[in-house]
Amino acid sequence: MDATANDPSAPRPDYAATPDATAPPPADTPDEYGEALDAAHRHAARWLASVQERPIRPDLDVDAVLARLRRDLPEEGTDAAAVVEELADATEPGLMAMGSSRFYGFVIGGTYPAALAADWLVSAWDQNTGSRQPTPATAAVEETAARWLLEVLGLPEGSGVGFATGATSANLACLLTARDAVIRERGVDPALGLQHAPPVRFFAGDAVHTSVVLAGRMSGLGAPVTVGADDQGRIDVAGLERALHEADGPAIVALQAGDVHSGAFDDFAAAVDVAHLAGAWVHVDGAFGLWAAASPRLTHLTAGLEHADSWATDAHKTLNVPYDCGVAIVRDEAAMAAALAAHAAYLPTVESIPDPYDRVPELSRRARGVPVWAALRSLGRNGVIALVEGLADAATALAEGFRGIRGLHVTNDVVFTQVCLAAPTDEQTAALGEWLRAEGTVWASSSRWQDRTVVRFAVSNRGTDAEAVRRTVDAVARGAAAVGIGA
Ligand SMILES: *Cc1c(COP(=O)(O)O)cnc(C)c1O
């Protein structure tokens, strides 16, 4: 670092004073970015203005977009603005309006203006926010966002918080931490490798999300042993207790806040107790469900979850920041750093304070916590509560509307943001899903749940209000009629 940086007597260039953010760039600076960024801004604005009213499905499939892009790698370069124009023109008909208030596929959030704009700045600043010292600004913004997240989610102050690409990598960060912690507890140095460690047992409910299974496999724990679940996907706590006591040795339990089909939450108070009594580490996959903890009205769903040891969630789902942003949270910040920190002589560290790269499985990374800060700053605590409760209210209203359509059944107990819909036969349900996606007013995924085909509505977009619900129920009613349901 520049040795004069902290020397108050050193001469300071003008920009050390308060910058005038409204001043144009100096005329003698060649603005090599301007035209390309202007083009990007124009296309972005046009896209964003179209998202709520265009058909949600893409007009082109991937082969059609490939055909539009097909050309050999050019020998010579092209002007930046022309590249942006070509990219936008070739791709726009193949874009899915995922930001629509009537997009219910998978679990996909939209984007708050403040978060999107902050994300643009993150790209322009291009700070590799791995360690605190070289990138003080973005590290400080992320640390502030981390503190606010713990506060709004009711998780222990001082927990380690890492900004990962999504809940999959956040689950991985947490499970790697858990694995090393339970091995170290048995007096073995986890750095020696799993072959020198006692076997670590890994348990989850039957409705465990595929990303937890993947994270288990990537971390060497393997896929979890499943211990049962009820008809909504909540872990069978008695089954968990039996499984934990079948053998000795280190153990990790993955619980779930928010099942992707039913939205159900595990009984955390009971399950965490049972797991901790058996000496197990408790991790919670709360990709979207963790956010229920922000709402005083919904905390009955998450009660006891704060006693777990680690939590994974997404900001790109419920918090509506742009892709990508997941959050790994570990109660014992030191355990997180012990498992995930990288050391090398050329990598600067600041005393004993963990760096951003001590909390995620990657070294180089964009400052993806900055849009989280922007979203939380623009919403405030009450805005977050209103967001989460609004999503849950919209799901309740959707279910009510669907129940009024002849021949359709809501197949889950709607407790949070997920609604599953079925017709009398699987064929009719599949046809309804296809009709909806092709018609374009609504986009919902088809799935299999509890041995039947369902159309799945995951409410995650900040814009899903009463009007969006009305148009959705109307589209579903038209679709049901069109495919002969209830005839
Ligand atoms: C989406 C989701 C994940 C995975 O999150 P990504 O951000 O897609 O990596 C994990 N668990 C649940 C319950 C999810 O809904």
Side-chain angles (χ1 to χ4, degrees):
M1 303 251 31
D2 179 358
T4 65
N6 292 314
D7 174 1
S9 65
R12 298 221 166 238
D14 271 355
Y15 56 70
T18 305
D20 178 1
T22 60
D28 58 350
T29 311
D31 183 12
E32 59 169 333
Y33 295 102
E35 281 185 25
L37 288 178
D38 285 347
H41 185 197
R42 210 168 47 248
H43 283 289
R46 220 160 47 84
W47 167 255
L48 292 169
S50 78
V51 160
Q52 298 306 328
E53 289 312 322
R54 66 190 292 132
I56 295 178
R57 51 143 170 80
D59 280 332
L60 302 181
D61 65 11
V62 65
D63 287 330
V65 181
L66 275 169
R68 291 162 76 99
L69 293 168
R70 191 174 320 281
R71 59 152 73 236
D72 292 333
L73 174 65
E75 292 299 325
E76 305 301 333
T78 300
D79 165 73
V83 170
V84 173
E85 296 289 349
E86 183 179 321
L87 176 67
D89 290 344
T91 55
E92 195 181 298
L95 295 176
M96 168 88 90
M98 283 190 162
S100 166
S101 58
R102 286 164 277 106
F103 183 91
Y104 304 100
F106 320 108
V107 184
I108 305 279
T111 300
Y112 280 107
L116 173 57
D119 199 59
W120 284 9
L121 278 181
V122 167
S123 288
W125 291 338
D126 205 16
Q127 307 280 291
N128 182 349
T129 307
S131 74
R132 300 173 88 231
Q133 198 192 54
T135 54
T138 46
V141 175
E142 288 198 336
E143 285 178 22
T144 306
R147 192 161 49 75
W148 288 354
L149 276 175
L150 295 178
E151 205 179 310
V152 84
L153 297 172
L155 296 180
E157 197 184 327
S159 298
V161 178
F163 292 101
T165 52
T168 303
S169 57
N171 278 324
L172 177 62
C174 292
L175 289 182
L176 292 170
T177 303
R179 180 199 66 187
D180 280 12
V182 298
I183 289 174
R184 189 176 297 103
E185 237 167 51
R186 304 289 159 140
V188 178
D189 177 2
L192 294 174
L194 294 181
Q195 66 273 33
H196 298 287
V200 179
R201 299 173 307 140
F202 180 33
F203 301 105
D206 286 11
V208 60
H209 190 269
T210 180
S211 75
V212 174
V213 176
L214 178 63
R217 292 173 48 209
M218 289 193 288
S219 60
L221 297 169
V225 172
T226 51
V227 299
D230 68 11
D231 65 346
Q232 299 300 306
R234 289 177 293 240
I235 194 169
D236 176 352
V237 178
L240 174 65
E241 186 166 27
R242 274 194 304 278
L244 280 165
H245 290 289
E246 259 166 28
D248 264 340
I252 297 168
V253 174
L255 301 178
Q256 179 163 266
D259 177 272
V260 288
H261 287 101
S262 69
F265 292 69
D266 286 344
D267 179 349
F268 297 109
V272 175
D273 252 12
V274 157
H276 277 168
L277 276 173
W281 176 290
V282 180
H283 171 66
V284 178
D285 173 20
F288 63 94
L290 202 61
W291 293 88
S295 153
R297 212 186 76 196
L298 297 169
T299 43
H300 61 279
L301 297 170
T302 57
L305 160 157
E306 68 279 9
H307 300 304
D309 302 290
S310 61
W311 306 263
T313 193
D314 269 320
H316 57 216
K317 291 178 177 172
T318 309
L319 188 60
N320 281 246
V321 307
Y323 281 84
D324 48 30
C325 187
V327 191
I329 305 171
V330 177
R331 174 188 299 277
D332 179 355
E333 185 180 47
M336 200 174 203
L340 300 172
H343 301 286
Y346 77 101
L347 297 174
T349 55
V350 182
E351 293 121 36
S352 58
I353 302 171
D355 281 304
Y357 54 41
D358 298 342
R359 303 183 180 109
V360 289
E362 59 246 298
L363 202 53
S364 293
R365 51 184 281 279
R366 69 190 274 103
R368 58 172 65 86
V370 171
V372 172
W373 179 90
L376 293 173
R377 177 72 182 88
S378 77
L379 286 169
R381 181 196 290 279
N382 287 334
V384 176
I385 295 171
L387 164 67
V388 174
E389 294 181 353
L391 299 177
D393 289 346
T396 305
L398 279 178
E400 227 164 85
F402 294 158
R403 286 189 195 106
I405 301 170
R406 249 172 87 89
L408 291 183
H409 302 273
V410 172
T411 67
N412 64 309
D413 298 341
V414 178
V415 296
F416 192 44
T417 53
Q418 312 298 103
V419 183
C420 283
L421 197 56
T425 70
D426 283 351
E427 291 68 28
Q428 289 172 317
T429 308
L432 174 63
E434 274 165 37
W435 187 93
L436 286 170
R437 291 187 294 272
E439 193 264 349
T441 305
V442 166
W443 207 100
S445 326
S446 289
S447 187
R448 290 284 298 174
W449 188 60
Q450 306 289 33
D451 277 332
R452 67 202 293 191
T453 297
V454 292
V455 184
R456 240 186 103 245
F457 293 78
V459 184
S460 324
N461 188 287
R462 67 191 174 91
T464 307
D465 56 8
E467 174 61 9
V469 166
R470 191 194 60 72
R471 289 179 64 181
T472 301
V473 173
D474 174 69
V476 170
R478 284 186 287 116
V483 303
I485 296 167

